[in-house]
Amino acid sequence: MVMKSSVEDDDAGWGLGIPEKMKNNANWVDITHEFKGACKELNLGELLHDKLFGLFEAMSAIEMMDPKMDAGMIGNQVNRKVLNFDQAIKEGVIKVKDLSLPELIGIIDTCFCCLITWLEGHSLAQTVFTCLYVHNPDLIEEPALKAFALGILKVCDIAREKVNKAAVFEEEDFQAMTYGFKMANNVTDLRVTGMLKDVEDELQRKVKSTRSRQGEQRDPEVELEHQQFLALFNRIKFTRLLLTALIAFTKKETSSVGEAQKLVAQAADLLSAIHSSIQHGIQSQNDTTKGDHPIMMGFEPLVNQRLLPPTFPRYAKIIKREDMVVYFSKLIERIKTVCDVINTTNLHGILDFFCEFSEQSPCVLSRSLLQTTFLIDNKKVFGTHLMQDMIKDALRYFVSPPVLSYKCCLFNNHQAKDYIDSFVTHCSRPFCSLIQIHGHNRARQRDKLGHILEEFATLQDEAEKVDAALHSLLMKLEPQRQHLACLGTWILYHNLRIMIQYLLSGFELELYSMHEYYYIYWYLSEFLYAWLMSTLSRADSSQMAEERILEEQLKGRSSKKTKKKKKVRPLSKEITMSQAYQNMCAGMYKTMVALDMDGKVRKPQFELDSEQVRYEHRFAPFNSVVTPPPVHYIQFKEMSDLKKYNPPPGSADLYLAASKHFQQAKLILENVPSPDPEVTRILKVAKPNIVVMKLLAGGHKKETKVLPEFDFTAHKYFPVVKII
């Protein structure tokens, strides 16, 4: 039944949303009596169970009309009348022309705050579209406000399109729904930027006409007007630059990325002026009913309440104006970094770039811009290079396989070409997926890294088969050359990198309990980093062997003696860093075992699970990988058993061994030429840990039962051990 009061409410904008046709044509039947009669047949506490309504539906169901559970009911709790844009104009509570400068500045600033709140994961209906002006910019007669409203809609539309296209967001990151609002699609991007430029030029004339002349007595009112014109000018210019930069990212030419970089740099220069003029805008009063939504002219936090799905009420806390400027400056810095990706030419460099960028936990917009800049329309890298060519270059750089060497007989062999081309084509999708994974937020990345290992395990198998086929071909044509484990080494390297990243990210996300540290660090130091270093050194020897063959071929052709230059090995830095990481992990493993011996590690009372269950859960994704073979719990216990040593080491011996590992890591890193921030971060952990381990080895505070502290502030993966 449709109650009469509901229909009346509907006229006020709060109805059940039943279309007029349905009201007039439908033949409504009252089923209340039959429904209550059917209910009486159920005993007390008994529920009717339908196959479409199971436990999951029962848990996620909400009680309609209950304000605590139904988002649509909030509107009934406020004392004021909630008006939409047309109603607000009719009743004269909103101006569409002759707005004062403080009103324009205040509206623009609040709109910026709403835009940022949306980018941080709230819905458009509760953020940008609480501004009534953007519902229908055609009704606005004030040129500056009309141009701004269209500009902000275009910014939202392009941002939404970019985020959807990159597909690196989850429900907690971003809400793409537009709730049926028009995103200024009837006006072209060029027209909107033109309108903003016209308003900007007009404001610039006013800024010039009100500025002080030399030797002239300054009127305080004119000075204030000058400051307000300048504040509005900066905001309109900022909107235009931001919009034009986002438009540049939609173009397919690589040159447009450089153009976007220049535009955001210009926008960044305006932020300090915007920050210093925030006080010129009218201030909002906070909504006293629910949440902290600003209420001021042109904004109605509850106008779209009925558009929200019937879920638990979720309040969008709009950020403050001061924070808005800080957010924009960080966003612009991130966009500048995104633009630098086009200077990276090889696949390994691009992967490292994505990893480093992701470590800053960037916002969803900058992550998406990076993805869409890297792979344009899912076809070409930066719109110019084929992914297959990038993979071949990466193979040449890493392992120099003979099949890709111009001087090798396999290079023009049709059968060999088919083998390598087929393998490289199969590599394209997993590598594109791997790069896309680095665009997700840090927590989701870890889940996805665990799944992609399956694809890389299949590639590993194929790589070994292709290597064997190419080797047998090469043996017939050039017996002095080998093609063993070239492609396999490269895939194994990426497999190990994914496994290491999967384990290390658990420290960053605080997933491990203190009593689990020892087997995580053991797996890293004794197993994964040991495999990684042998893989890297095998790749290095393979490169050197290929270089020797090339040198001999050149010697045979020219009789002149060439001076040998000492070449920097391409993988030397990575080998060095892996040694440092291995020592840090080994140091932490021995520290944890020693602390456990001294009774300084709190262990849970295992009832429903055991250490084995936890261990197997932590390393479950590695079961799909054949090389390196996963270490099962029983093997781990055998391999890490201290009783096999004679005599078994005590805690003091282990503390000393740990300090030697930290010392070794320190020595390795101090010899790195031109150290990067990562080297500095690890040294900040290694140095204090050397001292602490030596103190503990000498029996410092051995009797105290206070548990040690692990401080991860200096480095995400390696803590500074503190004994209190």
Side-chain angles (χ1 to χ4, degrees), residues 572-581 664-680 682-683:
S572 61
K573 186 170 184 199
E574 194 152 1
I575 293 171
T576 307
M577 288 305 288
S578 300
Q579 285 172 336
Y581 278 123
Q664 188 60 28
K666 176 176 168 281
L667 286 170
I668 292 166
L669 295 171
E670 283 177 341
N671 291 323
V672 170
S674 58
D676 57 13
E678 176 65 2
V679 171
T680 319
I682 301 175
L683 283 170

Side-chain angles (χ1 to χ4, degrees), residues 670-697:
E670 283 177 341
N671 291 323
V672 170
S674 58
D676 57 13
E678 176 65 2
V679 171
T680 319
R681 284 195 290 267
I682 301 175
L683 283 170
K684 277 184 186 169
V685 176
K687 286 173 183 174
N689 279 357
I690 295 167
V691 178
V692 174
M693 291 309 114
K694 283 182 177 168
L695 285 171
L696 288 169

Side-chain angles (χ1 to χ4, degrees), residues 1-13:
M1 283 290 286
V2 176
M3 303 294 286
K4 190 169 188 310
S5 60
S6 301
V7 181
E8 282 169 2
D9 278 354
D10 196 33
D11 296 336

Side-chain angles (χ1 to χ4, degrees), residues 104-236:
L104 286 169
I105 295 164
I107 290 166
I108 289 173
D109 281 352
T110 311
C111 252
F112 280 151
C113 294
C114 290
L115 172 71
I116 286 166
T117 309
W118 170 58
L119 288 175
E120 283 297 283
H122 288 278
S123 67
L124 270 173
Q126 287 180 292
T127 53
V128 178
F129 283 109
T130 57
C131 175
L132 301 176
Y133 288 110
V134 297
H135 288 208
N136 190 355
D138 296 340
L139 299 179
I140 305 169
E141 293 173 40
E142 175 66 50
L145 190 55
K146 183 173 186 171
F148 173 76
L150 287 167
I152 212 84
L153 283 173
K154 285 288 180 191
V155 167
C156 289
D157 198 33
I158 296 171
R160 194 176 59 88
E161 182 209 333
K162 283 285 169 196
V163 174
N164 277 334
K165 199 171 183 180
V168 287
F169 69 96
E170 302 292 336
E171 58 185 355
E172 69 268 21
D173 291 318
F174 187 72
Q175 292 187 41
M177 265 188 76
T178 56
Y179 300 92
F181 283 108
K182 297 180 191 75
M183 305 295 282
N185 296 327
N186 55 336
V187 192
T188 62
D189 296 347
L190 200 65
R191 174 92 183 91
V192 174
T193 50
M195 286 169 77
L196 284 162
K197 187 78 177 96
D198 292 344
V199 170
E200 200 184 306
D201 293 343
E202 179 58 34
L203 286 168
Q204 195 164 23
R205 280 194 287 277
K206 288 181 176 169
V207 168
K208 282 178 182 171
S209 68
T210 54
R211 71 175 170 212
S212 58
R213 308 275 187 281
Q214 211 171 1
E216 173 185 274
Q217 188 67 38
R218 195 72 173 133
D219 183 347
E221 280 183 24
V222 178
E223 178 57 33
L224 179 64
E225 194 181 19
H226 170 74
Q227 293 299 332
Q228 289 171 349
F229 274 129
L230 190 60
L232 185 57
F233 166 77
N234 286 329
R235 282 156 175 76
I236 296 291

Side-chain angles (χ1 to χ4, degrees), residues 545-562:
E546 196 57 30
E547 281 167 19
R548 268 199 305 276
I549 289 167
L550 288 174
E551 276 172 22
E552 280 164 21
Q553 286 179 350
L554 287 169
K555 264 185 199 168
R557 286 179 199 167
S558 67
S559 52
K560 286 180 186 174
K561 280 191 178 177
T562 51

Side-chain angles (χ1 to χ4, degrees), residues 446 502-507 509-514 516-517 520 618:
R446 190 170 187 274
Y502 177 84
L503 286 184
L504 288 176
S505 61
F507 289 107
L509 298 167
E510 299 176 20
L511 300 180
Y512 308 134
S513 295
M514 192 199 292
E516 293 180 287
Y517 287 178
I520 302 287
R618 291 297 180 211

